[in-house]
Amino acid sequence: MIDRMADPERLPILLQQRNDLTQKLFDRPYSSITYILRAIFYETLGFPDLAAGDAYRALLLTDEIADGSFEYHEQALQTYTRDIADENLLDELGIKTLRGRISDEDQGSRNGCEAVISTDKGDNLSIDDDIVQQLRLKCFACLSDYLCQCGCLRSAYDFAERGLQLDPGSSIFLDHRRKAIQRYDSMLLEKDPNWTRRTNNPREELPNQGHARRELYPWNDHEPDRFTEESLLFLDREIQKVAPKCEVRAISLPILKSSTQSNPSPEPSATIEQLGLFAKEDIAPHEIVLQERSPLTANNRLHDPLCDACSAPLPPISALEEPLPTCPDCDDIVFCSQTCCSLATTLYHPAVCGKPDLEAIAKDPSPSAATNALYLLLLGRTFALAETQNIHPLELTETKYLWGDFTPPSPPEQQHARRLPFTFEDNILAPLHLLTKMDVDVFVSLAIADTWIISTLFAKFRGVASARMDPRTGMPEVCAVHPMWCLANHSCAPNVKWEWSGDIKFEARGGDDIVEWGGRIAEARKEGGIKKGEEVLNHYCDVDLGVRERREWAAGALGGTCVCERCIWEEDAEERKEEKKRRDGEEVEGTVMEGWT
């Protein structure tokens, strides 16, 4: 792996190499060999998650080459035929043609090509079939290696097993399988030095939840500088549409640490520039501060009566004076109003209209999968918005200015605080399946559907999306991204409360709505409302919880442990309380000991 920060002068060269490989994929979108080469380069750059994404696309194309009934067989086969004519290209992957193997045998080398498989029936494959099998083995080797690096150990183990089915006894796949088990064993032994394995089937114990670097990729030229005068003017124009008494400003906020670090409180000088929402005139208690509707919504219920555009509950049929608007070409696509119907028709619905295979994707998931299902559905809505409006997914108004909690390129020892949850199923397999069902060619559409674009969108969704829980199950059933709403920063003593049903609203707190806590600010602000020049403060968790529970709930959206004034005060109060208990216990123990002397 290359340490890009240790030699920053080399970064432009590395980026050019990456861009050259990407351009080759634009020119030859069905080249499995180029995908493998870029996968290897991504891993060298320190992005095993992106490398796994490319290796899987290479595997899909290898299957397309081999099976004449597949959709892209002809294109993949033509590209493959051109690629294998260049033996230098094959040499880069350690793959040899029959001519190269015969040459090795003439030189007395029986094992000159490790990648060539042997079978019980003997080496009776044609040249084409032989190379395809070598490519497939290379894909399995890459996937088992890169997914293990990401921490997706069960998926890594499974791809090693698939490699062993093709090439029994392969030292590469045996080693990859062993590494997945050893990595998990090391994790458990670190937690409990006395741990011992209790099953003869280690695969069943392997975790599938890994992590990827949450980084603003250096080749991402779609991410704006949110603090330029141009950006602030644009955001101010947008905020006037939904919050006319507010304005957007740049603000310095503390850099948050992860909950695993011993002291979550930031250093006095450790700050980061962020955006915030401020009152430009007085706002009275209980006054509506912001009201925003977004088309970037999703719900994971298959047949629940919800508006397709805004995800608001539909009124009961008995309460309707006239039928609700629907899409005549789709089953069960209903809108709560003509406004939402028009919004959908203009912004996103044409991209998914009349595609019934999309209907059940990520719907009615298990409780453990509910959150990731919503993020996947937000991804689908984003691509529908982009296709309908002919805009890059990262250039949409709904996504462009979202905060993604990105970590700038940094040495590995500084990367632990900014990680994105990652699994093969959720971050590679499911997005490609979704796009395929939307009739998107995931190879030709690489410029808008590359793995790094999907990862960037997931990072943004995890940083700002709001959710509504099903009161019956307690599971998240609806989520949305409101780009203006999410400009308001978090506090566990917020001055607004929010409600979402169709539109999302901020209402200034007042009276009994004011959050009570032991700090001095609470005493000074009992009147409620928001004064001119004060920041509008939102909340990303239940403010009635204790400080430890609040921090746990908000950490995912904040990117670290909350250090608002209320949390700092209550953390200090708890520590003082614990210290008093400890001292009282020592005094009681001392008194008992004196009684024995």
Side-chain angles (χ1 to χ4, degrees):
M1 181 187 299
I2 297 173
D3 185 348
R4 294 169 292 131
M5 297 304 293
D7 188 7
E9 294 183 359
R10 193 181 176 192
L11 182 58
I13 299 174
L14 296 174
L15 292 182
Q16 187 57 53
Q17 289 175 318
R18 179 262 169 199
N19 292 341
D20 289 345
L21 286 168
T22 303
Q23 185 59 52
K24 287 181 180 179
L25 286 172
F26 291 158
D27 297 338
R28 294 188 184 184
Y30 301 100
S31 174
S32 58
I33 291 177
T34 307
Y35 266 115
I36 296 174
L37 291 173
R38 196 176 71 155
I40 294 170
F41 190 76
Y42 270 144
E43 193 272 339
T44 304
L45 278 177
F47 297 108
D49 54 316
L50 302 186
D54 274 7
Y56 185 65
R57 293 190 193 218
L59 179 61
L60 293 178
L61 286 169
T62 303
D63 291 340
E64 294 283 345
I65 294 167
D67 195 323
S69 66
F70 281 15
E71 183 176 3
Y72 304 116
H73 168 72
E74 184 176 344
Q75 299 96 314
L77 184 59
Q78 289 177 354
T79 305
Y80 158 80
T81 303
R82 293 173 61 189
D83 284 346
I84 65 172
D86 183 353
E87 291 200 16
N88 291 328
L89 195 62
L90 295 177
D91 284 344
E92 290 188 59
L93 298 180
I95 293 175
K96 293 190 176 182
T97 61
L98 182 59
R99 183 169 64 250
R101 289 164 55 217
I102 292 173
S103 175
D104 283 339
E105 290 173 1
D106 288 343
Q107 297 172 18
S109 172
R110 293 180 177 271
N111 299 310
C113 182
E114 294 182 1
V116 176
I117 67 168
S118 57
T119 67
D120 292 338
K121 298 179 180 179
D123 189 5
N124 57 1
L125 298 173
S126 69
I127 295 175
D128 286 356
D129 288 342
D130 182 58
I131 295 177
V132 169
Q133 289 290 61
Q134 292 180 63
L135 287 174
R136 187 174 284 113
L137 284 169
K138 191 71 175 180
C139 292
F140 289 151
C142 288
L143 283 163
S144 57
D145 182 11
Y146 305 154
L147 290 172
C148 185
Q149 292 183 44
C150 292
C152 307
L153 303 184
R154 187 181 301 173
S155 293
Y157 185 99
D158 288 344
F159 277 112
E161 285 284 287
R162 291 176 67 178
L164 287 169
Q165 290 174 9
L166 278 183
D167 191 7
S170 164
S171 60
I172 293 175
F173 295 114
L174 289 171
D175 183 55
H176 287 181
R177 191 176 65 178
R178 182 169 55 252
K179 282 182 179 178
I181 297 171
Q182 288 176 344
R183 179 167 178 176
Y184 182 56
D185 289 353
S186 298
M187 292 164 52
L188 295 178
L189 286 169
E190 185 176 347
K191 295 179 181 178
D192 179 8
N194 297 318
W195 173 83
T196 56
R197 185 173 302 286
R198 299 179 180 177
T199 176
N200 292 324
N201 185 5
R203 179 198 176 277
E204 297 304 316
E205 296 182 350
L206 295 177
N208 228 10
Q209 179 65 65
H211 292 90
R213 285 163 47 176
R214 195 167 186 161
E215 185 167 315
L216 180 57
Y217 300 107
W219 56 83
N220 179 0
D221 56 4
H222 299 282
E223 192 69 18
D225 182 345
R226 303 196 304 159
F227 307 103
T228 63
E229 182 178 357
E230 181 183 1
S231 294
L232 290 173
L233 285 173
F234 172 81
L235 291 171
D236 250 341
R237 288 194 299 269
E238 292 297 305
I239 205 68
Q240 296 312 305
K241 301 174 185 178
V242 297
K245 289 189 176 183
C246 295
E247 62 183 357
V248 180
R249 297 184 194 171
I251 184 176
S252 292
L253 294 177
I255 295 177
L256 303 183
K257 298 181 180 180
S258 70
S259 58
T260 59
Q261 291 172 279
S262 56
N263 179 15
S265 299
E267 299 296 330
S269 60
T271 61
I272 186 173
E273 193 173 21
Q274 270 289 8
L275 298 178
L277 201 59
F278 289 79
K280 61 182 184 180
E281 55 185 277
D282 289 349
I283 298 174
H286 307 298
E287 184 178 349
I288 298 300
V289 180
L290 173 146
Q291 184 168 349
E292 181 182 11
R293 177 167 297 199
S294 171
L296 188 44
T297 66
N299 77 82
N300 57 24
R301 312 311 301 163
L302 183 54
H303 293 300
D304 279 15
L306 299 170
C307 175
D308 186 74
C310 71
S311 292
L314 298 174
I317 296 178
S318 59
L320 296 175
E321 296 181 0
E322 56 184 37
L324 291 171
T326 62
C327 173
D329 298 319
C330 299
D331 295 331
D332 300 325
I333 299 297
V334 185
F335 303 98
C336 66
S337 64
Q338 189 58 48
T339 299
C340 272
C341 182
S342 299
L343 179 144
T345 303
T346 303
L347 297 182
Y348 74 86
H349 189 64
V352 294
C353 185
K355 297 174 182 175
D357 289 346
L358 286 170
E359 182 180 354
I361 291 179
K363 294 300 178 81
D364 292 340
S366 66
S368 61
T371 299
N372 286 335
L374 287 172
Y375 289 134
L376 177 65
L377 292 167
L378 281 178
L379 185 74
R381 178 62 60 88
T382 299
F383 280 106
L385 287 162
E387 180 179 335
T388 301
Q389 300 174 60
N390 195 27
I391 299 175
H392 192 281
L394 296 177
E395 295 284 350
L396 291 164
T397 301
E398 291 81 8
T399 62
K400 184 171 183 176
Y401 294 93
L402 297 179
W403 176 71
D405 189 25
F406 300 117
T407 300
S410 56
E413 64 270 13
Q414 298 178 11
Q415 293 165 6
H416 63 279
R418 294 292 181 270
R419 300 193 302 174
L420 188 69
F422 182 89
T423 70
F424 170 73
E425 288 78 8
D426 293 327
N427 295 68
I428 297 177
L429 184 62
L432 292 180
H433 176 66
L434 175 70
L435 289 168
T436 299
K437 294 302 181 183
M438 291 177 65
D439 292 337
V440 174
D441 184 332
V442 296
F443 307 110
V444 169
S445 301
L446 186 68
I448 63 168
D450 209 340
T451 304
W452 72 266
I453 296 171
I454 293 169
S455 294
T456 299
L457 289 168
F458 277 146
K460 292 190 173 199
F461 297 158
R462 286 184 176 274
V464 303
S466 56
R468 189 170 68 228
M469 304 296 180
D470 185 334
R472 299 165 298 176
T473 65
M475 290 169 45
E477 65 168 357
V478 177
C479 69
V481 171
H482 295 86
M484 298 296 107
W485 172 87
C486 66
L487 289 173
N489 290 308
H490 167 82
S491 171
C492 292
N495 52 19
V496 296
K497 61 181 182 179
W498 60 274
E499 176 186 353
W500 173 34
S501 181
D503 292 347
I504 198 165
K505 299 177 183 178
F506 276 151
E507 178 185 323
R509 289 179 181 262
D512 294 338
D513 292 331
I514 296 177
V515 178
E516 296 183 2
W517 58 286
R520 290 173 295 174
I521 289 182
E523 293 294 326
R525 290 302 320 279
K526 282 187 176 179
E527 71 274 11
I530 307 171
K531 299 297 184 184
K532 179 181 178 179
E534 290 183 344
E535 186 176 6
V536 176
L537 296 172
N538 191 7
H539 57 102
Y540 303 160
C541 62
D542 184 347
V543 295
D544 293 329
L545 296 172
V547 59
R548 294 179 183 177
E549 290 83 2
R550 292 198 312 271
R551 283 176 159 177
E552 182 179 347
W553 274 98
L558 292 175
T561 300
C562 180
V563 291
C564 72
E565 293 188 77
R566 180 186 175 193
C567 280
I568 295 296
W569 189 93
E570 291 184 357
E571 177 188 39
D572 185 59
E574 283 198 0
E575 288 177 355
R576 292 197 304 269
K577 186 176 179 181
E578 292 294 327
E579 178 63 20
K580 185 177 184 302
K581 283 183 179 180
R582 186 186 64 79
R583 288 199 306 268
D584 290 346
E586 289 177 352
E587 290 175 3
V588 170
E589 183 179 354
T591 302
V592 171
M593 293 297 293
E594 288 175 7
W596 282 95
T597 58

